[in-house]
Amino acid sequence: MNGLDLYNETAQASAAVVIRRYSTSFNWASRLFDPPVREHIARIYALVRLADELVDGPAETAGLDTRMRQTLLDELEAETGRALRIGFSANLVVHAFALTAREHGFGTDLSAPFFASMRRDLGEGTWDAAALDEYIHGSAEVVGLMCLAVFESRRIRGGAPSRSEEENRILQEGARRLGAAFQKVNFLRDYADDRGELGRTYFAETADGLTEEAKRRIVASIRADLHAADRAVPLLDRAARASVWAAQAMFRELTDRLDATPAEVLAVTRVRVPDTVKASILVRALAMKASR
């Protein structure tokens, strides 16, 4: 093993630590990917999480004001763009992400909208419908498209036949809509913290408080996104299908629980899916993968 191989492996190990420490649900679901795919998805997740932690969380807790956090986010975006061009970064998480992006054919076309949405999170305010759509595209839909690029690239390398135009359309829409569903679920689940601690209201209809009617409309929008994503899952390569199904099932379960929880309760607490339910979903996903 030469020095670059060791560096690449260390970058991969760093990304794996991030997803393992920060996301129980996605980490569990990602274990169902075949190893090469799992590694690439971890790299994407790690960069997304790193940017999010600069915007909120530990950066703010460490006493960094908004201007400094924006500077750090700008520097992270610049470092990511440079790594996408040259294939190397002194930041291990960025280096791992760039390896994946360059190998699977995506770049600033997807990373730039992501960083634009992260920058929006540095301020307080209420999103109107157009701003929310733009934010969700950058913060979630492009991440789904990054993952899809990995799945499809691996499929083509495995000798699979070319997709039809309609199949590509369904897959692209499914990736975007699944990302959007995940983001909307997180907005609704985290409503209390976002509004109370961060001063953000992502859904304009909840600016004066979360009502049952507003919750009903948001849940309906999530279910529509999940339904659109359902069409794409059977088309996915078998190396990815069970894992994507598991993640989708976990968020569908969370959506059901949000739907069943009164608005006044959601306004002050955070709903979660019990580990026993997650485990049941993963057992079903494992059976799906074993039957392929």
Side-chain angles (χ1 to χ4, degrees):
M1 178 184 294
N2 62 35
L4 181 58
D5 289 337
L6 177 59
Y7 192 82
N8 290 345
E9 286 195 6
T10 304
Q12 170 58 39
S14 298
V17 169
V18 174
I19 193 171
R20 185 171 67 249
R21 296 296 296 271
Y22 273 95
S23 178
T24 301
S25 296
F26 280 116
N27 184 45
W28 283 15
S30 70
R31 290 173 183 268
L32 295 169
F33 287 125
D34 287 356
V37 174
R38 183 191 316 147
E39 292 174 0
H40 289 296
I41 299 306
R43 295 173 186 179
I44 294 169
Y45 179 91
L47 180 69
V48 169
R49 174 54 64 177
L50 179 59
D52 193 56
E53 294 301 284
L54 284 180
V55 172
D56 298 320
E60 187 172 17
T61 303
L64 278 62
D65 62 18
T66 301
R67 179 174 295 182
M68 178 54 70
R69 282 181 281 140
Q70 178 164 340
T71 297
L72 291 174
L73 187 64
D74 291 344
E75 290 174 352
L76 180 62
E77 181 175 16
E79 179 65 20
T80 300
R82 181 166 54 246
L84 289 171
R85 290 193 305 274
I86 69 175
F88 190 89
S89 174
N91 181 315
L92 288 171
V93 168
V94 173
H95 182 78
F97 174 83
L99 291 177
T100 288
R102 286 164 62 90
E103 181 177 340
H104 297 94
F106 62 88
T108 55
D109 57 322
L110 298 182
S111 65
F114 167 73
F115 279 106
S117 288
M118 291 300 96
R119 201 167 285 110
R120 178 67 188 269
D121 266 341
L122 288 166
E124 298 182 356
T126 299
W127 276 244
D128 61 24
L132 180 62
D133 287 345
E134 184 178 0
Y135 176 88
I136 289 176
H137 173 70
S139 65
E141 291 181 359
V142 298
V143 178
L145 293 173
M146 291 176 191
C147 294
L148 179 62
V150 171
F151 303 156
E152 288 297 280
S153 178
R154 309 299 294 190
R155 175 183 173 276
I156 292 170
R157 292 177 191 180
S162 299
R163 297 285 195 187
S164 69
E165 185 175 333
E166 176 65 8
E167 286 176 330
N168 281 322
R169 187 194 67 78
I170 291 172
L171 285 165
Q172 293 275 328
E173 181 182 10
R176 290 193 298 268
R177 298 287 291 273
L178 188 57
F182 289 176
Q183 186 67 285
K184 292 174 189 176
V185 166
N186 287 335
F187 287 160
L188 190 54
R189 180 188 59 182
D190 298 336
Y191 175 82
D193 288 343
D194 287 341
R195 187 165 185 258
E197 297 183 15
L198 301 176
R200 299 181 199 139
T201 305
Y202 291 102
F203 299 109
E205 62 264 46
T206 67
D208 296 324
L210 183 62
T211 64
E212 283 295 331
E213 177 60 22
K215 187 193 78 170
R216 184 191 65 78
R217 288 196 296 268
I218 295 166
V219 167
S221 174
I222 294 168
R223 293 197 190 283
D225 286 333
L226 290 172
H227 180 70
D230 283 341
R231 296 186 63 202
V233 173
L235 294 176
L236 290 173
D237 184 71
R238 290 182 178 273
R241 190 181 307 160
S243 184
V244 173
W245 177 88
Q248 186 170 346
M250 289 181 189
F251 273 83
R252 182 169 271 118
E253 175 67 26
L254 184 52
T255 300
D256 291 342
R257 289 172 182 269
L258 291 168
D259 195 13
T261 303
E264 61 267 23
V265 176
L266 287 180
V268 296
T269 192
R270 191 174 191 267
V271 173
R272 64 181 299 274
V273 176
D275 286 347
T276 52
V277 176
K278 293 178 183 178
S280 176
I281 290 171
L282 288 174
V283 167
R284 293 170 61 192
L286 281 168
M288 177 190 300
K289 183 175 182 178
S291 66
R292 74 184 192 183

